[in-house]
């Protein structure tokens, strides 16, 4: 890649309809102060059958949750967007920047499948530039693939399904040289020793970092994804999102759950310990060819007869992810790290499959 400073311009990147868009103005947007009689949103003033405050629309910009996330992650509130899962943030990126039938994005497989699905839903073309055999970025391939209509590049680090981190230096090279948006998906960052890119938002105006409460935080059912970016990009996200995209129950529960940093950090330590233990135990089996070193809460394991092992495990009530037909993951199963007891059972059954 050439080493030239990026000439990023948000205005040049945005779709025209989004630039022109007048966002929906909700009752809660138009009146923000404290009041004792709220007769502006056609809510039920009597209450709700479940809990009194659920008769009111939630805070559209989730200030209290963002304030708490700011304290945990050190990212200023104005640089935070909250979505109904990271998947909502991914979809909004397409809708903000990619003109269907004209623009394109770059994907670097094997990686998270949602980027491709979201591109397809939005009728946006994608160019695939495979990772190298050691699951790192092919910088020359990416440079060749970029054209005047390339708006987004998705990089998942630690990567799903391979588990490894993408070299920071390589991501920075793309951030500096690409005029479009670089999306760094850090869904698994809590399990990694690598620093988060959230500390680099001021340096890179074209950086969007995705994180989620679905993995390390143990809140997958609540659907809370985060996007971190400069405040102009966050403003675009807020303009496009449905007005009340994070429901009150999620906001309430998340506010409470975010008090649990300590237990979450304990779990992370335990998962990382179990990950290393399970990796080592699998590696010594003659039928296991490779365990990719992982910075996530799962491991990608190349082994003999992956599909037969998968089916054997299903019979024992153990479900893993068969990635054996995925390009560059041939022969691999992806194993999520469970509790110590679960991992022990898994290992026992794997050994039983191979040794009878
Ligand atoms: C699990 C996962 C997510 C999380 O998505 P949510 O919609 O927030 O649950 C995002 N990115 C990657 C790579 C993932 O594996």
């Amino acid at each position: 890649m050439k080493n030239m400073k990026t000439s990023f311009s948000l205005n040049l990147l945005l779709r025209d309809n989004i630039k022109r868009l007048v966002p929906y103005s909700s009752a809660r947007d138009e009146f923000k102060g404290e009041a004792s009689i709220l007769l502006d949103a056609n809510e039920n003033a009597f209450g709700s059958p479940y809990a009194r405050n659920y008769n009111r629309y939630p805070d559209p910009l989730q200030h209290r949750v963002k304030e708490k996330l700011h304290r945990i992650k050190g990212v200023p509130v104005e640089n935070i967007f909250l979505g109904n899962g990271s998947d909502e943030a991914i979809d909004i990126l397409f809708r903000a920047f990619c003109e269907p039938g004209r623009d394109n994005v770059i994907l670097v497989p094997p990686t998270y499948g949602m980027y491709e699905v979201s591109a397809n839903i939005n009728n946006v073309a994608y160019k695939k530039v495979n990772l190298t055999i050691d699951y790192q970025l092919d910088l020359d391939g990416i440079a060749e693939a970029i054209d005047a209509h390339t708006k987004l590049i998705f990089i998942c680090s630690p990567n799903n399904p391979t588990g490894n981190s993408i070299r920071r230096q390589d991501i920075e090279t793309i951030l500096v040289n690409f005029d479009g948006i670089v999306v760094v998906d850090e869904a698994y960052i809590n399990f990694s020793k690598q620093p988060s890119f959230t500390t680099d938002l001021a340096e890179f105006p074209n950086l969007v970092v995705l994180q989620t409460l679905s993995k390390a935080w143990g809140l997958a059912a609540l659907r809370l994804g985060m996007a971190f970016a400069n405040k102009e990009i966050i403003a675009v996200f807020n303009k496009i999102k449905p007005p009340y995209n994070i429901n009150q129950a999620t906001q309430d529960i998340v506010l409470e759950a975010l008090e649990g940093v300590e237990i979450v950090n304990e779990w992370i330590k335990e998962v990382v310990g179990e990950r290393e233990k399970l990796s080592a135990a699998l590696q010594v089996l003659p039928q296991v060819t490779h365990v990719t070193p992982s910075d996530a809460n799962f491991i990608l394991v190349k082994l003999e007869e992956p599909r037969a092992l998968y089916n054997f495990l299903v019979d024992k009530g153990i479900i893993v992810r068969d990635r054996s037909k995925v390009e560059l993951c041939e022969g691999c199963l992806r194993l999520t790290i469970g509790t110590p007891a679960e991992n022990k059972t898994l290992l026992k059954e794997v050994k039983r499959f191979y040794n009878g």
Side-chain angles (χ1 to χ4, degrees):
M1 269 195 166
K2 300 176 302 256
N3 215 20
M4 43 187 257
K5 196 79 198 134
T6 176
S7 51
F8 174 76
S9 156
L10 186 58
N11 231 19
L12 284 178
L13 275 188
L14 281 173
R15 291 169 69 194
D16 286 331
N17 64 314
I18 299 300
K19 265 186 272 186
R20 287 193 305 265
L21 178 70
V22 179
Y24 178 73
S25 180
S26 67
R28 286 297 163 275
D29 286 324
E30 288 179 15
F31 181 82
K32 292 200 177 87
E34 291 294 316
S36 53
I37 303 183
L38 286 170
L39 302 175
D40 58 348
N42 300 346
E43 297 149 338
N44 184 335
F46 294 86
S48 59
Y50 176 68
R52 185 152 188 98
N53 64 333
Y54 289 138
N55 59 328
R56 299 297 178 188
Y57 281 101
D59 174 3
L61 292 171
Q62 312 96 21
H63 289 96
R64 294 177 67 203
V65 178
K66 285 178 184 170
E67 189 55 46
K68 207 159 235 175
L69 285 169
H70 156 66
R71 269 179 265 147
I72 292 171
K73 296 185 176 290
V75 178
V77 166
E78 64 183 19
N79 298 117
I80 306 176
F81 165 84
L82 299 182
N84 191 348
S86 323
D87 293 345
E88 182 177 27
I90 293 167
D91 181 63
I92 289 180
L93 282 161
F94 281 98
R95 290 193 282 150
F97 296 108
C98 302
E99 195 62 43
R102 187 195 72 183
D103 292 331
N104 66 74
V105 305
I106 290 179
L107 309 180
V108 292
T111 193
Y112 186 45
M114 201 58 205
Y115 316 135
E116 182 171 336
V117 172
S118 211
N120 286 330
I121 290 170
N122 287 286
N123 189 27
V124 170
Y126 48 85
K127 304 189 192 189
K128 290 185 171 181
V129 181
N130 281 355
L131 295 176
T132 59
I133 46 165
D134 56 346
Y135 299 140
Q136 291 296 329
L137 297 173
D138 170 5
L139 289 182
D140 291 333
I142 291 170
E144 269 172 51
I146 292 171
D147 66 31
H149 294 300
T150 305
K151 295 298 188 73
L152 312 170
I153 298 180
F154 286 91
I155 298 166
C156 186
S157 182
N159 187 38
N160 179 3
T162 59
N164 64 296
S165 295
I166 304 297
R167 273 193 296 270
R168 193 177 178 80
Q169 184 61 52
D170 291 353
I171 297 176
E172 287 183 11
T173 298
I174 297 180
L175 279 162
V176 170
N177 290 286
F178 176 52
D179 291 339
I181 303 281
V182 180
V183 185
V184 180
D185 188 341
E186 295 185 340
Y188 299 98
I189 192 71
N190 310 68
F191 303 102
S192 167
K193 287 198 183 70
Q194 300 290 322
S196 166
F197 266 94
T198 51
T199 56
D200 303 279
L201 292 171
E203 193 180 341
F204 303 113
N206 56 340
L207 170 63
V208 174
V209 179
L210 302 180
Q211 292 185 9
T212 179
L213 298 186
S214 297
K215 306 289 157 62
W217 276 91
L219 299 169
L222 294 185
R223 313 305 303 128
L224 199 94
M226 299 160 269
F228 305 102
N230 77 49
K231 63 178 197 293
E232 287 76 23
I233 293 179
I234 296 299
V236 170
F237 272 61
N238 286 335
K239 196 164 125 166
I240 297 176
K241 78 178 183 71
Y244 303 110
N245 62 327
I246 308 298
N247 70 69
Q248 187 67 50
T250 293
Q251 293 191 44
D252 288 345
I253 299 168
V254 163
L255 267 176
E256 255 182 74
L258 289 175
E259 294 293 325
V261 187
E262 275 166 37
I263 181 75
V264 169
N265 284 336
E266 282 306 310
W267 284 331
I268 291 168
K269 262 189 244 160
E270 197 163 356
V271 166
V272 167
E274 284 292 307
R275 178 185 79 200
E276 298 311 309
K277 235 170 70 185
L278 183 63
S279 300
L282 288 167
Q283 229 139 19
V284 299
L285 302 181
Q287 296 87 354
V288 170
T289 356
H290 187 60
V291 180
T292 304
S294 172
D295 281 340
N297 65 340
F298 56 85
I299 50 178
L300 188 72
V301 186
K302 189 173 178 123
L303 32 66
E304 291 174 13
E305 302 176 76
R307 189 68 202 176
L309 172 57
Y310 173 86
N311 289 330
F312 178 86
L313 291 173
V314 169
D315 277 347
K316 309 289 172 197
I318 302 171
I319 316 300
V320 300
R321 199 82 196 264
D322 182 3
R323 302 280 82 184
S324 63
K325 298 283 179 281
V326 173
E327 199 179 354
L328 290 173
C329 298
E330 290 87 358
C332 291
L333 298 180
R334 192 193 70 187
L335 315 177
T336 304
I337 305 302
T339 64
E342 290 172 341
N343 304 330
K344 206 172 140 196
T345 306
L346 170 70
L347 185 62
K348 188 183 76 192
E349 295 299 346
V350 170
K351 286 179 178 169
R352 187 175 292 167
F353 170 76
Y354 287 125
N355 300 326

